[in-house]
């Protein structure tokens, strides 16, 4: 082990050289400070994009394009750098022409292995919080026009009528709400459109037994973290109530019972015209920016079923499933063996249905306890909180690892999990259920990033499968549907009163088609996925989730979404991009991604 | 300056001797560790009471009565003790038979000057938070009867019908809500009765321009602090919305639109019978405990006005005031020159009314900025937060100073304020407004503790008075009221379209009379006040606010209330007292206060 002062000196030396090369615009001087195997991930600070530059050449190209406009300065180490396994990690702060930033530097020897730079706040447009919070009353000035509540009501009445929003967000789940909260704090006039009656209904309307599979430390929203008495895994309705409260106290312009019918972009005026139906009444909005925050997925993926027209039972997509209550004693087929398939099969089983799950391809299954301990605990756990790793710190440490490097770090976790839970996997295999850990054995998190599917965090269904309470048929699909049964591709016939298609969802860009056009959905291309080349995530390698939280091929159009973690962290970067544009700051986008896949 | 290690050793030495004397039940050994001028303030840990013992004899008497039952142990220093102005301050932790406690020790030399002991949690009944939080789902057990929302609805339907609450709280403002939240976390079945339609209405229904006079750092509720973007001084409706959200996400059994009509205690059954009207329907509840959380005050103090029956204008108490809007150009008399009087006079003035304030006796006025900096900042400010003083720490440091000592510490603050704001006070005096700082010059906070009135934190009205925009008549009262004017005791006559009586409120115990009985209101006696002997707070000295958060002369009856700070901090001690009784723990109350004043 090196001494703390040596570690700090090493980090300081690197940062001083980096600062000086950047200041002198000596791009080769900059790249010579990086290892040959190097990554610079930038979240909006240098590239006005979400971008990982891999290798010295990509770094040099980015700097040639954007260094002059960025004008970075004031680099400094924050807190105490640490060293483990030969890698030095230091927190850094810096400034650019328009912003203040925060980052994470990782050195191998005296060269940088990874660098993360993130935009933290825009100069002159800092949020009014903590020491800069609003006073709330103008002391000594009593000629106020309006009280807080009168001003709020007036703003609500005006926005979308005599005053048009700068930004419209379609979708008022955690994505729309977290982004809306950030934009509110940045004074960006915004309307959130939500088709359901109340904020939180996107959770309440899901199936009865749904409980979050991610733990509380991973799920906080910005500004108001869950309280200490919040359960580790929150039931869906509790999350629903929290979101409803949050939208209210954060004073969002949240239009519930509002459907977005059409949106069209005027390229000349650089403006959207958006037709909505609000509580039954048609209304036209104008906005400069339009954000789709309609979840992590697009429309349901419908799989054609031969003979379905003659089926006398019920058949619907998993997104329509509510409760197993009507199915006691009934024969139920669940097609698909990922998260929803497991939850629904278990819920049906709980109500006394006879359930068969059809597993079309292997699933990455991990016991919740094991994933919490080995996957989440270093950053998102009570231990992490006690070690001083708050949510923002955890998010940045997580973001500091480039996607190219992530699989190598994940593989040992799953080696340990397989060893630790060998008996569990053995029982599961005996039932006929097929488990995998991804083509490169990198496990659950990489499956989520690459394809958004193919996994289940076990909170109980696996035991039901292992014990036979849920029957499993693996490697088969439905060949045809009869009046009261299904025939499988292996020739077997199963009685069927209910078929639930837990077959997943299309890409998020397909949600554009009915609202904007098929052309724009194609022009923008597929959302999510990294281009890793595994099944479900075809190449070429793109290095960042496609289209998320950053400029797309369609000006004025943005995607925001994902789980609570991503909705929390990336709402920061999307909100700052929108604010910068509203204020007319220079925002040269580096490396706008070409489109390789339409869906 | 002593070295940190010396300071720690000094604290350790004292605590070891204290522990050993307590353990050996050598009461004289204990008291010999205290200075002759000494105080032991106990919040429920030793006395099952809120009690300050002054001097060695009172300490010895308490220990003789309660030491055997308390069985204190495991005393230890927490964190680093500090020394300033010859006083060493150390954080301590300890245990008793039933509980874990936290405290603050202050040594002068090698003897204790003040000791604070507080009850933190009951053994075996710890709150399920942080590392002990509920998991939220029973992994692997799928035979759940009810989901979270179904269980919640069922509990709400049952409580007060087939299942009676252990505790009923009358009043759903910040007091009832904060206490309700603590009781919920402690699994004490509780119903909160609130006459208004929605949680938060107790704030919303106040006058239009009301803004909190206390800063945000002082105002947090338990469990969910205000977010960083909360203004320093929150407008009343924003607080109202927060309370409504809070009651919901903390899952309180909050009965809005519910009036408490009658309550009677059955001494034999040790049970209350409580008649309520809930949304118009009569209903009878039973409970073991009844808490009045009806605010810091009782009913309005009505001052008889000679000739009022002939008055052709409007006349009402300040609690009925809503807005100055109808009074443009009208002649308005505000009787009273404390907080409400100032706020109402300023609001009327803002709407163009001709306002005269009648100041009956001098007022302690302090500019908000000065009070924030000199009064609040050491414990409740952004600087304090940055120095690591969280809300709970600040509350305990504040509670560590006995009321007997507090005036000496307050006097220098007001000396500094008078110096700093000399020009302000000079202008105010020139208008005829009379300022005082209390009989012993101890200022605003002591006035609040002693009488709950007689002060104004200036947020603008003083300038309106100094400039003459609000006329002031000092040292006078209304002699009689005519049809359109008032005659003052100095013979002057003023035109009057509106008379607002900002004449304060009766003691909280008077609120018992219409619900329980005059007899019980008298038996319990006056709430608040310390017995300091100044005007409005007659002796004898009692040393703690009367009747608040602790057993009263009426079994099963409790008072809870005060500003947000007191509602937050003391709800902890009241909730733990109720929980201990529900669980049948031994709770020997030491020093139940005799009643010296009926109102």
């Amino acid at each position: 082990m090196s001494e703390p002062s040596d570690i700090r000196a090493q980090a300081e030396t690197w940062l001083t050289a980096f600062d000086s090369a950047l200041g002198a615009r000596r791009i080769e001087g900059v790249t010579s400070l990086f290892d040959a195997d190097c990554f610079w991930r930038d979240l909006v600070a240098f590239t006005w994009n979400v971008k990982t530059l891999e290798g010295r050449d990509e770094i040099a190209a980015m700097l040639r394009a954007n260094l002059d406009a960025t004008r970075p300065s004031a680099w400094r180490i924050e807190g105490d750098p640490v060293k483990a396994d030969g890698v030095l990690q230091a927190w850094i702060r810096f400034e650019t022409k328009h912003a203040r930033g925060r980052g994470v530097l990782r050195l191998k020897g005296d060269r940088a292995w990874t660098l993360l730079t993130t935009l933290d706040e825009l100069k002159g447009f800092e949020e009014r919080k903590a020491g800069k919070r609003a006073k709330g009353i103008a002391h000594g000035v009593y000629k106020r026009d309006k009280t807080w509540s009168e001003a709020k009501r007036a703003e609500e009445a005006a926005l979308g009528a005599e005053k048009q929003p700068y930004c419209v967000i379609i979708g008022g789940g955690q994505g729309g709400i977290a982004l809306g909260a950030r934009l509110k704090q940045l004074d960006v006039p915004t309307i959130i459109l939500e088709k359901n009656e109340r904020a939180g209904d996107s959770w309440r309307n899901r199936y009865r037994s749904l409980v979050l599979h991610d733990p509380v430390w991973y799920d906080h929203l910005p500004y108001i973290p869950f309280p200490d008495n919040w359960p580790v895994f929150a039931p869906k309705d509790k999350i629903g109530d929290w979101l409803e409260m949050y939208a209210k106290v954060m004073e969002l312009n949240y239009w519930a019972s509002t459907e977005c019918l059409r949106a069209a972009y005027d390229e000349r005026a650089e403006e959207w015209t958006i037709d909505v139906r609000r509580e039954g009444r048609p209304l036209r909005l104008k906005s400069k920016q339009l954000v789709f925050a309609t979840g992590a997925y697009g429309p349901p993926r419908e799989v054609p079923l031969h003979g379905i027209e003659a089926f006398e039972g019920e058949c619907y997509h998993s997104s329509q499933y509510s409760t197993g209550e009507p199915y006691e004693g009934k024969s139920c087929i669940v097609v698909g063996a990922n998260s929803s398939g497991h939850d629904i099969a278990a819920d049906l089983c709980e109500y006394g249905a006879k359930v068969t799950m059809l597993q079309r391809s292997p699933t990455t299954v991990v016991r919740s306890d094991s994933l919490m301990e080995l996957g989440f605990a270093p950053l998102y756990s009570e231990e992490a909180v006690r070690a001083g790793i708050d949510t923002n710190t955890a998010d940045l440490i997580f973001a500091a690892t480039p996607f190219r490097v992530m699989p190598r770090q994940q593989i040992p976790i799953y080696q340990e999990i397989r060893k630790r839970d060998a008996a569990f996997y053995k029982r599961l295999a005996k039932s006929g259920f097929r488990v995998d850990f991804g083509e490169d054995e990198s496990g659950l998190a990489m499956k989520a990033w690459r394809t958004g599917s193919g996994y289940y965090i076990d909170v109980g269904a696996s035991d039901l499968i292992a014990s036979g309470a849920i029957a499993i048929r693996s490697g088969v699909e439905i060949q045809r549907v009869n009046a009261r049964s299904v025939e499988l591709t292996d020739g077997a016939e199963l009685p069927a009163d209910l078929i639930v298609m837990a077959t997943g969802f299309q890409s998020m860009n397909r949600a554009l088609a009915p609202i904007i056009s098929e052309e724009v959905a194609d022009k923008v291309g597929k959302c999510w996925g990294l281009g890793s080349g595994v099944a479900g995530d075809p190449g070429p390698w793109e290095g960042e989730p496609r289209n998320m939280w950053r400029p797309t091929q369609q000006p004025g159009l943005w995607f925001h979404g994902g789980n609570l973690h991503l909705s929390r962290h990336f709402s920061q970067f999307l909100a700052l991009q929108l604010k910068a544009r509203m204020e007319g700051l220079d925002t040269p986008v580096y490396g706008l991604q070409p489109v390789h896949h339409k869906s």
Side-chain angles (χ1 to χ4, degrees), chain A:
Chain A
M1 280 294 287
S2 321
E3 289 294 311
S5 60
D6 294 348
I7 295 175
R8 167 170 280 276
Q10 198 185 339
E12 299 272 14
T13 302
W14 189 93
L15 201 64
T16 304
F18 183 64
D19 186 10
S20 128
L22 285 172
R25 307 286 184 270
R26 286 187 293 103
I27 290 173
E28 270 186 38
V30 175
T31 55
S32 71
L33 290 165
F34 284 81
D35 197 78
D37 169 39
C38 68
F39 303 85
W40 182 341
R41 189 179 195 202
D42 181 60
L43 305 180
V44 190
F46 278 68
T47 59
W48 292 99
N49 201 347
V50 173
K51 193 87 193 158
T52 299
L53 309 159
E54 305 191 350
R56 290 173 181 159
D57 291 350
E58 287 190 19
I59 291 172
M62 182 278 281
L63 290 174
R64 275 194 296 273
N66 272 33
L67 181 55
D68 281 347
T70 306
R71 287 206 246 140
S73 66
W75 296 87
R76 62 186 172 83
I77 305 284
E78 186 184 23
D80 291 321
V82 292
K83 203 166 185 175
D85 302 328
V87 177
L88 181 155
Q89 175 176 293
W91 290 93
I92 54 174
R93 294 263 183 194
F94 61 95
E95 295 189 16
T96 65
K97 181 182 171 198
H98 287 308
R100 290 179 201 89
R102 201 177 176 202
V104 178
L105 168 67
R106 288 175 183 153
L107 298 181
K108 283 183 174 173
D110 53 6
R111 291 230 169 81
W113 170 44
T114 71
L115 173 65
L116 172 73
T117 49
T118 75
L119 199 158
D120 208 38
E121 61 180 1
L122 295 168
K123 292 178 182 171
F125 306 102
E126 294 82 3
E127 290 188 31
R128 292 183 306 280
K129 61 185 182 186
K132 290 177 195 139
R133 71 177 84 219
K135 201 145 185 188
I137 180 173
H139 285 190
V141 181
Y142 261 79
K143 286 284 169 206
R144 297 190 294 278
D145 293 325
K146 294 195 178 76
T147 66
W148 170 84
S149 59
E150 290 161 359
K152 185 164 175 279
R153 274 198 298 275
E155 187 203 320
E156 284 166 4
L159 200 66
E162 60 260 38
K163 184 187 164 195
Q164 289 301 326
Y166 179 76
C167 179
V168 165
I169 302 172
I170 302 177
Q174 67 258 20
I177 285 175
L179 178 62
R182 304 255 194 204
L183 290 172
K184 179 79 188 181
Q185 294 306 310
L186 290 167
D187 286 324
V188 177
T190 300
I191 293 175
I192 301 171
L193 310 177
E194 168 59 41
K195 64 176 191 298
N196 289 304
E197 258 176 71
R198 291 155 62 203
D201 279 353
S202 52
W203 284 95
R204 292 191 196 93
N205 293 345
R206 298 298 306 282
Y207 50 90
R208 178 182 165 277
S209 60
L210 177 64
V211 168
L212 259 59
H213 294 190
D214 290 333
V216 57
W217 308 279
Y218 192 61
D219 299 333
H220 294 300
L221 292 175
Y223 307 108
I224 313 182
F226 295 114
D228 263 1
N229 63 320
W230 202 259
V232 177
F233 303 101
K236 68 178 177 95
D237 295 299
K238 197 171 164 71
I239 289 286
D241 285 356
W242 184 266
L243 289 173
E244 186 177 5
M245 162 294 287
Y246 185 91
K248 179 159 190 177
V249 300
M250 294 306 291
E251 302 174 30
L252 309 188
N253 290 291
Y254 193 94
W255 289 17
S257 302
T258 304
E259 211 182 336
C260 183
L261 307 172
R262 293 276 310 150
Y265 192 66
D266 181 335
E267 302 274 349
R268 212 175 41 83
E270 300 185 330
E271 189 171 74
W272 291 94
T273 299
I274 305 160
D275 289 318
V276 309
R277 193 186 290 120
R278 186 182 189 191
E279 293 171 3
R281 283 172 295 112
L283 202 83
R284 174 162 285 187
L285 297 173
K286 301 265 185 190
S287 77
K288 291 292 179 186
Q289 311 288 349
L290 180 64
V291 181
F292 274 71
T294 49
Y297 304 102
R301 185 182 290 135
E302 306 286 356
V303 177
L305 287 177
H306 189 58
I308 187 67
E309 57 289 346
F311 187 51
E312 291 173 2
E314 288 177 274
C315 176
Y316 45 74
H317 186 263
S318 61
S319 56
Q320 306 297 310
Y321 180 86
S322 159
T323 167
E325 201 170 359
Y327 304 108
E328 190 181 341
K330 299 283 171 67
S331 296
C332 304
I333 310 293
V334 176
V335 180
N338 299 326
S339 295
S340 302
H342 276 84
D343 276 355
I344 291 169
D347 192 55
L348 286 164
C349 184
E350 185 178 354
Y351 278 105
K354 289 171 277 185
V355 189
T356 303
M357 178 188 269
L358 304 191
Q359 184 185 31
R360 300 175 303 164
S361 53
T363 310
T364 301
V365 175
V366 182
R367 290 182 58 248
S368 175
D369 285 348
S370 303
L371 189 64
M372 292 310 118
E373 192 182 331
L374 296 166
F376 283 100
L379 295 181
Y380 300 100
S381 66
E382 209 62 42
E383 304 86 272
V385 171
R386 275 196 295 269
I389 300 176
D390 64 15
T391 312
N392 189 242
T393 304
D395 287 350
L396 285 176
I397 296 176
F398 183 79
T401 298
F403 284 104
R404 181 81 84 173
V405 173
M406 212 178 274
R408 328 176 193 158
Q409 299 191 341
Q410 292 287 309
I411 289 167
I413 296 175
Y414 290 89
Q415 286 171 337
E416 172 63 22
I417 285 177
R418 290 161 87 159
K419 204 162 66 185
R420 181 182 291 204
D421 296 329
F424 166 81
Y425 289 114
K426 203 170 160 189
R427 277 193 298 130
L428 202 50
K430 229 174 145 183
S431 73
F433 190 94
R434 288 186 302 154
V435 171
D436 82 335
F437 290 91
E439 291 177 24
D440 57 355
E441 309 291 330
S442 59
L444 192 145
M446 290 320 301
K447 271 213 179 178
W449 283 112
R450 289 164 172 173
T451 69
S453 69
Y455 59 88
Y456 171 58
I457 301 174
D458 177 39
V459 288
S462 295
D463 267 348
L464 298 175
I465 292 169
S467 72
I470 295 170
I472 186 80
R473 297 287 180 125
S474 196
V476 294
E477 303 207 31
I478 292 178
Q479 176 83 354
R480 73 170 282 127
V481 181
N482 301 318
R484 282 286 166 192
S485 68
V486 296
E487 291 170 32
L488 306 183
T489 43
D490 65 357
E493 183 173 354
L494 301 174
D497 301 305
L498 169 70
I499 304 170
V500 180
M501 301 299 286
T503 45
F505 297 84
Q506 301 174 56
S507 171
M508 229 175 136
N509 68 315
R510 299 324 309 173
L512 304 185
I515 292 173
I516 305 174
S517 67
E518 289 285 352
E519 291 66 36
V520 170
D522 287 350
K523 179 169 89 168
V524 164
K526 184 178 160 74
C527 295
W528 299 100
L530 305 168
S532 63
V534 305
D537 184 30
W541 176 249
E542 303 189 41
E544 291 286 349
R546 298 183 191 94
N547 276 324
M548 298 309 298
W549 318 296
R550 52 181 168 132
T552 66
Q553 293 289 346
Q554 170 59 53
L557 181 75
W558 310 78
F559 291 96
H560 178 55
N563 58 20
L564 284 151
H565 160 230
L566 295 170
S567 294
R568 167 186 71 243
H569 194 210
F570 281 87
S571 55
Q572 175 185 329
F573 306 109
L574 179 46
L576 289 168
Q577 289 174 80
L578 296 171
K579 174 69 173 176
R581 282 162 174 79
M582 187 178 93
E583 300 298 343
L585 306 185
D586 187 28
T587 58
V589 175
Y590 177 75
L592 184 68
Q593 204 71 21
V595 172
H596 300 289
H597 306 282
K598 291 185 179 171
S599 64

